[in-house]
Amino acid sequence: MDTRAIFMGLAFAFMWSSAFTSARIIVADASPLFSLALRFLISGLLGVIIALLMGQSLRLTRPQWIATLLFGLCQNALYLGLNFIAMQTVEAGLATIIASVMPLLVALASWLILGERLRPLGFLGLILGFAGVGLIMSTRIGAGADLHGVILCGFGVLALTFATLAVRKATSGGNFMMIVGLQMLVGAALLFIAAPLTEEFHITLSPRWIAAFAYTTLVPGLAATYVWVLLLHRIGATRAATFHFLNPVFGVAIAAALLGERLGSLDLVGVLIVTAGILAVQLARQPAPAAVPTKD
């Protein structure tokens, strides 16, 4: 993995993790699904315009269209939609930790369903990861965390896991910014249908809300997604997913710094265990280095 890929991975992990804190600010003063739909509409249009200016085409390959539709539905409408609803009552740090389970679920499903080989380090990582999440869940639910919101976050990460497994090899063929923009427009269309059916529109404009909305739209929404697609193309899904081990740490740190969310000692232990588990799973899934031929 080269230096540029490492920088891209670190940048993606930070931007992705920060989205939960900005989303928590947004849903405190506005309808969650309408806010998310508006965010995707703006991000999607900007993405398509930027793609056209970059000379990219609306003509995608069949796998790219499948990826665009699946991610628009599963990642944007379901995963983020359920998380935005949940974060009306669930703290940003807890939502980040639940979402961070995704690489563990991908590894587990790849082993159980797709028959991929999982090394002993991978088994250890799964045990550690789920044990850490269990520790945090028991602590937070015992302290009064909203169980309904936690369940919504859980269903959201399952939707993202399915999309990740379904389109693992659909990023080839170029037009990356166009794919990013179109999948956001798919999400916007679905959420603009769902929003009036499930919530009453309300919004309280304030400098804090506007700043959070603009940041979420441009940084986690557009920039992070584009960096992620580029990273997938550069180093592959398995290596790129390694950077997810940073999400629990970044997520809880950003939420604590900007929202004042408190972290107990058991929370910190759980975050470290989850982080170690995710890293172990991703390292175990790395392809073995090719043998160097020796001269006789």
Side-chain angles (χ1 to χ4, degrees):
M1 191 181 301
D2 57 40
T3 303
R4 184 175 180 182
I6 293 173
F7 177 78
M8 291 168 62
L10 292 173
F12 163 76
F14 183 86
M15 291 187 289
W16 188 91
S17 301
S18 69
F20 294 88
T21 294
S22 57
R24 177 83 165 150
I25 296 171
I26 291 170
V27 301
D29 291 321
S31 309
L33 294 188
F34 177 81
S35 299
L36 188 59
L38 183 60
R39 166 198 153 178
F40 282 141
L41 177 61
I42 296 172
S43 295
L45 290 175
L46 286 174
V48 170
I49 292 170
I50 293 171
L52 292 174
L53 292 175
M54 294 170 64
Q56 297 184 14
S57 171
L58 284 165
R59 298 179 62 181
L60 306 182
T61 65
R62 178 181 172 85
Q64 286 178 329
W65 275 117
I66 293 173
T68 299
L69 295 174
L70 276 177
F71 268 109
L73 170 63
C74 296
Q75 174 178 282
N76 298 339
L78 291 177
Y79 164 65
L80 287 173
L82 291 172
N83 270 273
F84 262 57
I85 294 172
M87 277 189 289
Q88 295 175 105
T89 56
V90 173
E91 290 187 335
L94 180 56
T96 306
I97 292 167
I98 297 172
S100 298
V101 175
M102 187 272 288
L104 299 177
L105 293 175
V106 168
L108 182 63
S110 297
W111 172 53
L112 293 177
I113 300 174
L114 303 180
E116 290 188 5
R117 180 174 174 270
L118 191 62
R119 301 171 190 169
L121 180 61
F123 284 109
L124 176 61
L126 288 176
I127 294 171
L128 285 175
F130 287 121
V133 172
L135 176 62
I136 295 169
M137 289 294 104
S138 62
T139 302
R140 292 296 186 93
I141 292 175
D146 178 45
L147 184 58
H148 178 257
V150 169
I151 292 173
L152 290 180
C153 289
F155 278 116
V157 77
L158 287 175
L160 182 59
T161 300
F162 170 77
T164 302
L165 288 169
V167 298
R168 288 184 301 173
K169 298 181 179 179
T171 60
S172 60
N175 285 330
F176 299 130
M177 180 57 81
M178 184 64 72
I179 293 172
V180 169
L182 290 175
Q183 74 178 31
M184 289 181 178
L185 292 179
V186 171
L190 294 171
L191 289 169
F192 272 125
I193 294 172
L197 299 176
T198 58
E199 63 186 22
E200 294 185 6
F201 170 73
H202 73 277
I203 183 172
T204 303
L205 289 177
S206 66
R208 177 181 169 91
W209 189 92
I210 294 172
F213 183 83
Y215 176 83
T216 304
T217 301
L218 299 175
V219 181
L222 193 60
T225 306
Y226 182 57
V227 170
W228 177 246
V229 174
L230 288 178
L231 192 62
L232 289 176
H233 180 66
R234 188 176 186 87
I235 63 176
T238 300
R239 287 189 173 90
T242 304
F243 290 98
H244 280 289
F245 89 94
L246 293 168
N247 292 332
V249 176
F250 283 164
V252 298
I254 294 169
L258 297 182
L259 300 179
E261 294 185 2
R262 297 184 61 183
L263 289 173
S265 56
L266 289 179
D267 289 324
L268 291 174
V269 171
V271 167
L272 292 176
I273 293 174
V274 173
T275 300
I278 295 172
L279 180 59
V281 165
Q282 297 306 327
L283 291 177
R285 299 185 73 208
Q286 297 290 328
V292 178
T294 58
K295 296 182 179 179
D296 294 332

